Amino acid sequence: MRHRHHARRPLFRPCGSDHQTRNGENRVKLFCLPYAGASAAIYMKWKKTLEPVAECVPLELAGRGVRSQEPFYEGMEDASEDVLEQLTRRMDGTPYAVFGHSMGGMILYEVARKIRQRMLPPPSALIFSGRPAPDIPRAEAPIHELPADEFAEKIVAMGATSKEIFSMPALMNVFVPVLRADFRLVETYRYEEAEPLPWRLTAIAGTEEKWTDAELEAWHRHTSEGCRIARLPGGHFYWQHDAETLHSHLIDVLQHANRTETFARGGLE
């Protein structure tokens, strides 16, 4: 596995006033992981909406966006190590939560396991979107090695992008390698049995999503603290058409997490 090198920062720093809400509580840092083919840019619009309760911090994955010159991940171990390193560099004593959609949710689960194994500061909330429990086997045949035309058809059918992207060579040369690498990451992932996580989880999916209620409810097996399940209107990319509903749900989850964190530390000052 490759070793990625980043400038090191202090692991923890005292909380500052810039991380506080109007009522003096610490704002939660919400780290966000993108879905296959996407970059951190998809979460930039969330910053203003979530600002009252959270500092939205989109995390960039290797091979795209500002990290487009870096090689793609070799597998889930490589991806989860890289994301964990990004998280630990940004931990400053402020309560934090992590949101991951689809592929981002898969990476998040493996990162959470590493947080527990290495006894790092625990998250206030873990939010898995558009993903069934990690032990649910993938039913679809792999597509990451399909010929270009067939691969494009599969991607368009998923609703992840428009046909126009595949008719523009310049965009294809950038977009398709990212998609293939991400689908390789998803399709080669193999769940390994582990103890339930010691934190409360939230799992969200669209009402028209292919994942069944039972596959979402299976998240309960992966936590000893319970899992909140929500189905919001729409399909796999439900929040692209109705971000407001998701944001309202996230604000509720984060406010609850912040209150729990505050009382766990001894109550409000």
Side-chain angles (χ1 to χ4, degrees):
M1 187 181 75
R2 294 160 296 164
H3 295 284
R4 299 176 185 275
H5 299 285
H6 302 274
R8 293 284 176 179
R9 303 177 186 176
L11 193 55
F12 309 113
R13 298 188 298 276
C15 299
S17 59
D18 58 327
H19 292 301
Q20 292 186 330
T21 62
R22 290 187 180 89
N23 62 9
E25 295 177 355
N26 286 328
R27 270 198 307 160
V28 178
K29 278 189 176 182
L30 178 64
F31 298 103
C32 298
L33 296 170
Y35 50 83
S39 73
I42 62 172
Y43 295 116
M44 291 303 178
K45 292 182 179 179
W46 291 26
K47 288 177 174 286
K48 186 175 181 180
T49 306
L50 299 177
E51 186 177 18
V53 298
E55 177 190 355
C56 181
V57 184
L59 296 182
E60 192 70 278
L61 303 181
R64 72 211 67 208
V66 297
R67 301 179 64 188
S68 60
Q69 299 305 308
E70 297 183 32
F72 296 119
Y73 301 123
E74 295 176 354
M76 189 59 74
E77 176 66 17
D78 194 13
S80 58
E81 281 290 344
D82 177 59
V83 169
L84 181 65
E85 203 277 341
Q86 291 192 63
L87 284 177
T88 55
R89 283 192 290 116
R90 292 169 171 82
M91 289 179 181
D92 58 5
T94 305
Y96 75 95
V98 194
F99 173 94
H101 182 72
S102 198
M103 177 188 75
M106 296 180 72
I107 297 173
L108 171 55
Y109 173 72
E110 291 299 321
V111 170
R113 287 171 61 160
K114 292 179 185 295
I115 290 173
R116 177 183 59 187
Q117 291 164 0
R118 299 175 193 183
M119 295 183 289
L120 295 170
S124 296
L126 294 173
I127 306 161
F128 300 90
S129 173
R131 286 300 312 170
D135 58 325
I136 300 297
R138 184 178 175 84
E140 301 87 357
I143 69 170
H144 70 273
E145 293 183 328
L146 287 177
D149 289 348
E150 292 180 50
F151 183 72
E153 287 177 11
K154 294 288 186 181
I155 295 299
V156 171
M158 291 177 188
T161 188
S162 64
K163 293 181 180 179
E164 287 70 24
I165 292 290
F166 294 95
S167 65
M168 304 175 187
L171 288 177
M172 277 189 64
N173 291 339
V174 174
F175 191 55
V176 172
V178 175
L179 276 171
R180 283 193 185 276
D182 287 353
F183 272 86
R184 182 183 70 228
L185 182 68
V186 170
E187 293 169 351
T188 59
Y189 172 69
R190 297 294 180 267
Y191 169 77
E192 294 183 6
E193 194 69 33
E195 290 295 315
L197 295 170
W199 311 301
R200 183 167 176 78
L201 311 180
T202 296
I204 309 172
T207 53
E208 299 169 30
E209 170 69 89
K210 62 184 176 183
W211 312 119
T212 66
D213 288 344
E215 289 171 327
L216 289 178
E217 292 288 343
W219 275 109
H220 284 285
R221 296 197 294 264
H222 298 278
T223 172
S224 59
E225 297 300 316
C227 181
R228 178 178 183 175
I229 308 292
R231 301 209 76 148
L232 304 183
H236 186 60
F237 295 99
Y238 65 93
W239 54 272
Q240 290 185 340
H241 306 290
D242 185 12
E244 184 177 348
T245 298
L246 173 60
H247 290 164
S248 295
H249 194 81
L250 290 178
I251 288 171
D252 183 55
V253 170
L254 296 173
Q255 285 179 327
H256 180 268
N258 205 10
R259 286 194 299 270
T260 302
E261 182 79 17
T262 298
F263 286 116
R265 293 183 177 186
L268 294 170
E269 295 182 352

